[in-house]
Amino acid sequence: MVTEAHDGLFGRLQEQPADPLLALIGLFRDDPRTDKIDLGVGVYRDAQGRTPVPRAVKAAERRLLETQGSKSYLGPAGDTGFVARIGAVALGESLARDPRLVGLQSPGGTGALRLAAELVAAAKPGATVWLGTPTWPNHPPLMAAAGLQVETYRHYDPATGGVRFDELMSALGKAQASDVAVLHGCCHNPSGADLDEGQWREVAALLSTRGVLPIVDLAYQGLGDGLEPDARGARIVAEACPEMLLAYSCDKNFGVYRDRVGALFLLARDADTARRANSVLHALARANWSMPPDHGAAAVRLVLEDEALTADWKAELDEMCARIGAVRASLAAQSPKLAAVARQRGLFSLLPVSPEGVARLRAEHGIYMAPSGRANLAGLALGDVPRVAAAIAELG
């Protein structure tokens, strides 16, 4: 019989700090000002401030509603037609058919990354993962939660708005065989500072030489320089390295944020290794989420199976990409202090604003962004660019 008083199983748990971005959503929502600007939440917005569902996706959803005869389980691999199609979008038709490549659907890009981390942990418990900083806030805790050891290096140079390439190469040059390097495939989150093609080739060659496993996080394909150019980094790595993992998200480029549509791909040294690793991936997926959600992936598959819908999706994606580019160019033209924004790519940039400055922008101008200065430029209307630039200039 238990005689000592205690707080129960959960009584000793410590309250965790609120996610700053989630807190920012609440602050923005409760702000009564009609001219407030949200640069915090990482979603694409059009010129009217909406986060639309692409036309082709809506058409595919209507077709799905009319023709889907069952919602029975698909299995841990999810929609295999979706996986095959999105693999070709990311890695090209030829590699997508290579027997050394296997893949399965995941709940968003986050699910793909977690599955990748668990596969690494199954192959080498406690493996070291190299992360450039700053990075997506979920990268370090996600890798640590899978039991991996995280080492960091500086990726971003605030002075130039570009990549600290020498530091990146120096850090990865210290990595040991069977270590892991996480690389942003394009549109670096949160800085927007991407590797160029020559740098990708140098990084890929170094990883191959040292036997370091790349995990490419490709979450924004089509929103930097376009669908094919944004795949270049991942494809260079796939050509150079005998093994790689690719975590893919359709949230941004298909506008299916809440449907959690992602996939994980493994490129192995040979088909037999791919087959065995695939069985481990299936077992890990079964233990984590059993079956991934189907609706969004099925809609994406229908888009990619239909030439007309694919063409319409690509056209709308090009429009989204062009709008982000126009906002970047306009903001960069406002001040030399913001010039680097035009050289960066994707939704995000780290604006030259201190945490104190961010607080002032919020209080005095109703301009919301993360305390780090990370701004979602896809949330900025072209007409608001001069106002935002002027507010930043006021900070000195």
Side-chain angles (χ1 to χ4, degrees):
M1 184 175 67
V2 177
T3 57
E4 293 183 11
H6 61 83
D7 296 328
L9 180 61
F10 305 116
R12 296 182 180 87
L13 292 178
Q14 299 297 310
E15 185 172 353
Q16 297 299 296
D19 185 300
L21 289 180
L22 296 181
L24 200 65
I25 293 173
L27 289 172
F28 181 83
R29 181 192 60 230
D30 297 337
D31 189 333
R33 287 173 286 190
T34 58
D35 61 348
K36 59 188 177 182
I37 297 173
D38 182 7
L39 304 181
V41 181
V43 299
Y44 173 81
R45 289 196 173 95
D46 62 17
Q48 289 73 45
R50 302 169 303 193
T51 301
V53 181
R55 298 180 299 265
V57 173
K58 291 296 286 184
E61 288 182 311
R62 286 192 291 270
R63 190 177 301 175
L64 193 62
L65 178 65
E66 294 166 358
T67 62
Q68 188 177 56
S70 173
K71 289 188 178 290
S72 183
Y73 294 123
L74 293 177
D79 188 324
T80 56
F82 155 75
V83 174
R85 294 282 179 169
I86 209 67
V89 169
L91 294 170
E93 294 284 352
S94 178
L95 187 56
R97 295 191 298 269
D98 194 313
R100 296 177 301 131
L101 185 77
V102 294
L104 72 172
Q105 186 190 334
S106 62
T110 304
L113 284 166
R114 180 56 189 258
L115 195 60
E118 292 202 5
L119 180 67
V120 170
K124 185 183 178 184
T128 297
V129 178
W130 294 84
L131 288 171
T133 59
T135 191
W136 182 46
N138 230 14
H139 274 159
L142 187 153
M143 296 297 163
L148 305 179
Q149 305 300 312
V150 175
E151 292 283 349
T152 62
Y153 59 88
R154 294 186 298 177
H155 169 90
Y156 180 66
D157 184 356
T160 65
V163 179
R164 294 181 184 268
F165 189 65
D166 289 345
E167 289 193 35
L168 182 155
M169 292 294 285
S170 176
L172 296 184
K174 299 173 186 174
Q176 303 300 308
S178 298
D179 282 0
V180 176
V182 176
L183 304 168
H184 298 239
C186 67
C187 304
H188 186 276
N189 181 0
S191 74
D194 284 353
L195 301 174
D196 62 32
E197 183 172 347
Q199 290 171 332
W200 271 113
R201 294 193 183 281
E202 289 188 53
V203 170
L206 178 63
L207 297 180
S208 179
T209 299
R210 298 197 65 81
V212 176
L213 174 73
I215 299 179
V216 178
D217 185 3
L218 191 55
Y220 307 96
Q221 187 184 359
L223 294 170
D225 288 314
L227 200 61
E228 287 297 304
D230 288 351
R232 188 176 297 123
R235 295 179 187 183
I236 288 171
V237 171
E239 291 170 3
C241 297
E243 298 177 317
M244 73 173 288
L245 288 162
L246 173 72
Y248 196 93
S249 171
C250 296
D251 286 5
K252 271 65 173 186
N253 58 4
F254 280 91
V256 288
Y257 303 87
R258 68 180 66 165
D259 289 327
R260 310 307 298 134
V261 183
L264 177 68
F265 296 92
L266 164 69
L267 179 67
R269 291 176 179 271
D270 54 65
D272 184 59
T273 302
R275 178 188 57 78
R276 286 184 282 111
N278 197 33
S279 71
V280 178
L281 284 173
H282 278 67
L284 291 170
R286 180 77 168 125
N288 274 280
W289 48 74
S290 187
M291 320 282 177
D294 174 61
H295 176 82
V300 169
R301 171 177 51 77
L302 288 177
V303 169
L304 296 177
E305 286 176 347
D306 185 295
E307 288 186 7
L309 290 182
T310 299
D312 191 34
W313 166 64
K314 288 181 177 180
E316 193 164 358
L317 186 61
D318 285 344
E319 293 169 8
M320 294 162 66
C321 184
R323 195 190 98 71
I324 296 171
V327 169
R328 285 187 171 279
S330 179
L331 186 60
Q334 300 293 315
S335 166
K337 188 177 181 180
L338 299 171
V341 168
R343 299 192 296 271
Q344 298 162 355
R345 292 293 179 267
L347 275 68
F348 305 109
S349 281
L350 279 173
L351 298 183
V353 183
S354 69
E356 294 76 19
V358 168
R360 281 187 56 191
L361 290 175
R362 184 170 66 243
E364 298 171 15
H365 300 278
I367 298 170
Y368 286 74
M369 66 183 72
S372 64
R374 187 194 84 151
N376 172 26
L377 300 184
L380 184 57
L382 274 171
D384 287 330
V385 167
R387 177 185 156 202
V388 169
I392 292 173
E394 283 182 20
L395 300 175

